[in-house]
Amino acid sequence: MRVNILSLLLLLGAHAGLTLGQAWPFGPFVTSGRWIHNSQGKNVTYAGANWPGAADVMIPEGLQYASITSIVSGIKSLGLNVIRLTFAIEMIDDIYDNGGDKTLLVAFQKALGTANGLKVYNQVLAKNPSFNATTTRVQVYDAVAAECLKQQIYVHLDNHMSKGGWCCSTDDGNSWFGDTYFDVTKWKRGLNYMATRGAKWGNMMSIGLRNELRQPSNNAAVSATYNWETWYTNVVAAAKGVNAANPNTLIFLSGLGFDTTLAPLTTGANLGSGTVFRKSDFTFANKLVLEIHNYQNSATSCSSITSGLYTDGFNALDTTNSAIKNVFPVVMTEFGYDQTDTSYTGVYATCLRSYLPAQKAGWMLWALGGSYYIRSGTQDFDETWGLYNHDWSAWRNSNSLSAIKSMAAATLA
Ligand SMILES: *[C@@H]1O[C@H](CO)[C@@H](O)[C@H](O)[C@H]1NC(C)=O
Ligand SMILES: *[C@@H]1O[C@H](CO)[C@@H](O)[C@H](O)[C@H]1NC(C)=O
C-alpha cells in the first residue's frame, strides 16, 4: 500500500514537473533578443549534427547498421545536445492522400527495389527489434525522438524536401514555392502535421520551415517569382500555421541562395513593393530564430568567411549595431567537411570551429551518418563527410572528432 501511494506521488510529481517545464528539456523555449531561453530563463545554445531522413526512403538513415539507441549514445558521447532531423513532405502527403503512411518494407522496396528493399528491411529489424511489419515511417521518427528524450537530446525538425530525395539542386523540382514538387498547400499541411506530432514527443523544441530555398534553373515561371517578397508571403503564412498547430515550438526561418543569406531580414530592408520584415509584426516574435548554412570549404581566409557571415545574417546577433532592425538568435544549421582527409585542419573548418562558439551561436554539422540507404540513385552511398564511418559502428576520424568535441564543449560552456 505504502509503495502504491509513493508511486502515485512520484507520478503526480513527474506530471506536474512536465506541465510546468520543471524537468528536462525545460521547455518550451522562447527567444529573448539574440538568445534562446528555456523555461527557467537560462540560455540554451544548440550544438549538434544533422540526421538525414528526407531522402528517397523517407526514414532516418543508418538503421540497417545500428540501433537508434547506439546512434543516439554516440551523439551523446560527443557532448552534442541536438539533432536536426530532416523529413520530406511526401511522407505526410502519403498519410493524407495515399491511404496512410507506408510500412517500412513498402518504403524500402519502393526506393531500393524488391530484393534490396527486403534485405535492408530485414537488417533494420535485426538492429532495431522494436520495429515490426506494421511499423510506419513516421513511427520511426517517433522512436528516434523517444530515444533522444531518454538520453536528453533535443530534436530540431527540418523540412528538407517536398519529394523525398537527395537535396539540393536547382533542377530537382523542390527549389522554390510552386516548383514541380513544391506544392505550397501540401508543404504547409506537412509542416503542421509534423509540428503537431512533435508536440507529443516532449523534446521537439524547434522546426525549420524549409531547407535551402533556391532559384530553379529549369522552371521559368517559378524562377520569375524568386525574390524576397514571395519569400515573405509564403514563409510568414507557413510560420503562422505552425505556430497555431504548435504554439510551443521555435520556428526557424531560412534565407535565399541555398540559405546562405538572410541579409534584408536583419536590416529591415525593403523586400519589394514596400514589404518589410519586422519582428514586431509577429504575435509570436519570441518563437522566431534565423538559420543559415555555410559551405565555403575552399576559402583561404577566415576573416573573409566571418565578415561575409556577419553581413549575410550573423549581424542579427549584434545588439550594438543600430543598422540592425531585427535582432534574433542565429543558428548555423548546416556546415561540414570531409572526414576522410585533413580537411578538419583547413581554414574553413578551423575558422567555423572557433567563430561559432565565440558568437555563442548554435550549429549543426552535416552530417551524422556515414552512409545513405540511397542517394541520387546509388544504394548504400558512402557519406565521406559523415561523423560515423560507413556502417555507423565507429567514428571516421578520431582527430577530427576530438576537435568537434572541443567545439561542442566551448559552445556549451
Ligand atoms: C546569456 O549569455 C550571455 C553571454 O554569456 C550573458 O550575458 C547573459 O546574461 C546570459 N543570459 C542568461 C539569462 O543567462
Ligand atoms: C509494431 O511496431 C509499432 C511501432 O513501431 C508498435 O506500435 C506496435 O506495438 C508493434 N506491434 C507489435 C505486435 O509488436
Side-chain angles (χ1 to χ4, degrees):
M1 198 55 178
R2 239 178 87 189
V3 169
N4 286 343
I5 289 168
L6 193 63
S7 328
L8 184 66
L9 288 175
L10 285 172
L11 196 68
L12 288 171
H15 183 257
L18 283 174
T19 313
L20 300 173
Q22 294 307 305
W24 193 93
F26 301 104
F29 291 171
V30 293
T31 67
S32 170
R34 58 140 297 176
W35 300 100
I36 296 173
H37 284 173
N38 68 16
S39 60
Q40 301 181 307
K42 295 201 170 121
N43 290 337
V44 176
T45 307
Y46 280 161
N50 279 271
W51 189 341
D56 312 45
V57 190
M58 292 171 258
I59 291 173
E61 301 285 344
L63 304 182
Q64 82 278 44
Y65 285 127
S67 68
I68 292 174
T69 306
S70 77
I71 294 170
V72 176
S73 300
I75 296 166
K76 192 76 187 172
S77 74
L78 300 180
L80 303 178
N81 66 1
V82 66
I83 56 165
R84 180 172 182 250
L85 186 59
T86 76
F87 68 92
I89 295 295
E90 187 183 346
M91 174 175 74
I92 298 104
D93 294 345
D94 283 343
I95 292 171
Y96 283 110
D97 301 334
N98 298 321
D101 193 9
K102 294 192 186 340
T103 61
L104 302 193
L105 179 60
V106 170
F108 278 113
Q109 289 191 318
K110 181 161 186 276
L112 308 180
T114 312
N116 286 351
L118 177 61
K119 186 178 131 206
V120 173
Y121 165 77
N122 282 327
Q123 290 168 338
V124 169
L125 260 53
K127 290 289 179 187
N128 293 275
S130 70
F131 298 149
N132 58 60
T134 68
T135 303
T136 62
R137 294 171 298 188
V138 76
Q139 288 179 324
V140 177
Y141 282 82
D142 295 340
V144 167
E147 184 59 34
C148 285
L149 178 68
K150 219 166 159 186
Q151 299 202 39
Q152 303 200 340
I153 299 286
Y154 308 123
V155 174
H156 168 80
L157 278 174
D158 172 69
N159 173 230
H160 215 66
M161 292 287 272
S162 285
K163 183 177 170 55
W166 172 250
C167 191
C168 306
S169 70
T170 57
D171 61 0
D172 62 10
N174 288 272
S175 65
W176 185 250
F177 312 103
D179 201 356
T180 313
Y181 303 113
F182 194 163
D183 179 307
V184 171
T185 304
K186 289 179 178 169
W187 169 59
K188 291 177 186 162
R189 178 179 71 176
L191 286 172
N192 294 348
Y193 180 91
M194 290 306 280
T196 304
R197 196 165 185 109
K200 300 194 195 93
W201 294 342
N203 55 341
M204 195 283 263
M205 315 313 290
S206 50
I207 184 167
L209 298 183
R210 187 71 172 193
N211 183 63
E212 299 198 355
L213 293 162
R214 54 202 178 272
Q215 184 164 23
S217 58
N218 60 348
N219 190 330
V222 170
S223 176
T225 69
Y226 179 79
N227 56 51
W228 280 104
E229 212 183 339
T230 307
W231 178 95
Y232 188 90
T233 306
N234 288 289
V235 168
V236 170
K240 285 181 176 164
V242 167
N243 177 254
N246 178 346
N248 286 334
T249 187
L250 296 178
I251 297 171
F252 280 37
L253 309 180
S254 65
L256 264 55
F258 293 84
D259 195 20
T260 57
T261 182
L262 304 154
L265 305 180
T266 67
T267 54
N270 181 359
L271 302 179
S273 315
T275 302
V276 170
F277 182 75
R278 281 188 203 87
K279 195 168 179 176
S280 54
D281 286 345
F282 293 86
T283 56
F284 52 97
N286 69 346
K287 291 295 185 182
L288 298 177
V289 173
L290 300 181
E291 62 173 314
I292 197 163
H293 292 180
N294 188 281
Y295 286 112
Q296 287 174 276
N297 296 65
S298 49
T300 53
S301 147
C302 182
S303 63
S304 79
I305 297 177
T306 59
S307 62
L309 281 174
Y310 182 85
T311 47
D312 284 330
F314 272 86
N315 54 13
L317 298 173
D318 190 348
T319 53
T320 66
N321 182 346
S322 61
I324 302 312
K325 305 298 182 213
N326 295 303
V327 169
F328 280 104
V330 183
V331 176
M332 186 173 283
T333 47
E334 279 191 33
F335 74 105
Y337 39 90
D338 198 327
Q339 300 290 326
T340 63
D341 59 16
T342 57
S343 294
Y344 74 98
T345 62
V347 170
Y348 167 79
T350 53
C351 183
L352 291 182
R353 281 203 313 269
S354 69
Y355 176 75
L356 295 169
Q359 311 307 307
K360 291 275 172 208
W363 49 269
M364 293 144 185
L365 266 159
W366 191 276
L368 175 66
S371 54
Y372 301 96
Y373 301 123
I374 181 169
R375 170 169 151 182
S376 308
T378 302
Q379 296 194 21
D380 199 26
F381 189 103
D382 193 38
E383 174 55 282
T384 53
W385 289 26
L387 301 182
Y388 275 118
N389 60 8
H390 186 91
D391 68 4
W392 300 55
S393 63
W395 306 120
R396 265 200 202 265
N397 183 330
S398 58
N399 292 331
S400 173
L401 251 292
S402 29
I404 289 161
K405 268 189 182 176
S406 304
M407 181 186 184
T411 298
L412 304 180

